[in-house]
Amino acid sequence: MTESNTATTPQPGLVLAGFRLVEQLGSDGLGELFRAQNVHAPRLLRSIRVIRPELAAQPDFRAQLLRVAELLDVLEHPNLLRLHHLGEEGDFLFTVHDLLLDRSLRALTSE
């Protein structure tokens, strides 16, 4: 059974790009960040950022997000979080990234 992606607010249990949202990790000006688990390989974890609907509705923002995704696709650096996927399903625009376990952004930026 496939979950419906017609809700306007992402919630744990929602599946995007083959990953089930498990728990919300936080939110910021771009959207909400979730820990997500691959539905076919449960040990494969990622983070998914669901972009705020008001930003996702702006063509200029979407174009800028695509440019950033294309740039991140060709750059490799230990201080850059890898972008695995930029997608849109139902009402949701989202990005899929590596999940940083046991390390806060503040700890990483102070190293």
Side-chain angles (χ1 to χ4, degrees):
M1 179 175 172
T2 301
E3 287 80 357
S4 171
N5 293 340
T6 59
T8 58
T9 304
Q11 299 291 326
L14 176 69
V15 175
L16 297 171
F19 285 86
R20 183 177 321 282
L21 303 184
V22 175
E23 70 176 315
Q24 186 172 352
L25 300 173
S27 64
D28 61 18
L30 288 177
E32 298 179 54
L33 187 66
F34 291 86
R35 181 169 60 91
Q37 181 179 44
N38 187 288
V39 296
H40 300 292
R43 294 182 66 180
L44 179 58
L45 302 175
R46 294 282 187 255
S47 64
I48 293 185
R49 178 179 307 281
V50 180
I51 304 299
R52 295 186 183 282
E54 61 273 16
L55 292 175
Q58 298 175 18
D60 290 344
F61 175 83
R62 294 170 77 90
Q64 181 180 8
L65 184 61
L66 180 58
R67 285 192 301 274
V68 169
E70 289 171 342
L71 183 60
L72 287 175
D73 189 48
V74 297
L75 294 177
E76 287 190 37
H77 190 277
N79 293 336
L80 290 176
L81 190 60
R82 184 168 178 206
L83 174 68
H84 292 279
H85 183 73
L86 170 62
E88 186 170 18
E89 293 183 22
D91 294 333
F92 301 109
L93 177 64
F94 59 92
T95 57
V96 180
H97 302 268
D98 286 331
L99 178 64
L100 301 177
L101 296 174
D102 299 326
R103 297 176 79 185
S104 71
L105 180 59
R106 185 177 309 265
L108 288 171
T109 57
S110 67
E111 290 179 358

